[in-house]
Amino acid sequence: MNLSPSRDLDVALVRAATPELHAAAIQLVAELSTSAPSLRYDALESLVAHDAIDLFVASRDDDVIGMLTLATFPIPTGTRAWIEDVVVVSAARGSGAGMALVEAAIDRARELGARTVDLTSRPSRQAANRLYRRAGFEQRDTNVYRLQL
């Protein structure tokens, strides 16, 4: 698959799960994480139907080449947004799909009244970190904590 930046790129907010989207999401999740379980169809349906979640997909020529999840939620200090699970198929990296997904998520967060948009990225993901900086994100001096359940 040769995906150049000049070919039409479409970014869409997913409104319903489909078998085609499910198949693409399974492949994208596998590229994103070797430890994540395979995405079940009912889990995709639940994700798409969730009030606090917006799932965006990037596609070219009807092929899904990337996706991003935006969580938007109210807290006492205002509405916040969090970007998670940004992934673009390896053949399409560098084609503008990642930036288009991030820009769509930022626009949606703004539309929903979010005060900020946060995300995390491992330092080893150098291309992703460059993308986020180009999109206007600034690295924060904070600690991220995780409790495995």
Side-chain angles (χ1 to χ4, degrees):
M1 185 183 315
N2 180 14
L3 299 169
S4 66
S6 63
R7 291 172 56 191
D8 289 331
L9 174 68
D10 180 47
V11 174
L13 178 59
V14 175
R15 299 293 184 191
T18 65
E20 296 80 17
L21 174 61
H22 182 238
I26 288 172
Q27 291 179 335
L28 288 165
V29 169
E31 285 205 38
L32 182 65
S33 171
T34 57
S35 62
S38 184
L39 182 65
R40 297 183 331 269
Y41 192 84
D42 64 323
L44 177 62
E45 287 179 311
S46 178
L47 180 73
V48 171
H50 199 287
D51 289 339
I53 300 297
D54 286 310
L55 180 66
F56 291 89
V57 294
S59 55
R60 281 218 166 99
D61 300 327
D62 296 323
D63 292 326
V64 173
I65 60 169
M67 72 179 181
L68 173 151
T69 306
L70 175 71
T72 311
F73 48 93
I75 59 174
T77 57
T79 300
R80 301 299 169 112
W82 196 276
I83 291 175
E84 283 288 346
D85 292 351
V86 180
V87 60
V88 174
V89 295
S90 58
R93 292 183 188 148
S95 70
M99 182 62 83
L101 285 164
V102 169
E103 288 174 345
I106 292 168
D107 288 346
R108 178 70 173 151
R110 187 176 287 117
E111 175 185 313
L112 295 172
R115 292 184 52 214
T116 60
V117 179
D118 291 308
L119 57 79
T120 61
S121 185
R122 288 189 304 270
S124 63
R125 297 187 64 216
Q126 294 177 5
N129 283 286
R130 283 191 302 274
L131 165 70
Y132 302 139
R133 284 191 293 276
R134 280 195 326 268
F137 287 83
E138 297 175 0
Q139 188 171 355
R140 296 184 66 204
D141 185 20
T142 188
N143 296 325
V144 176
Y145 295 92
R146 174 176 287 165
L147 175 65
Q148 291 284 9
L149 302 178

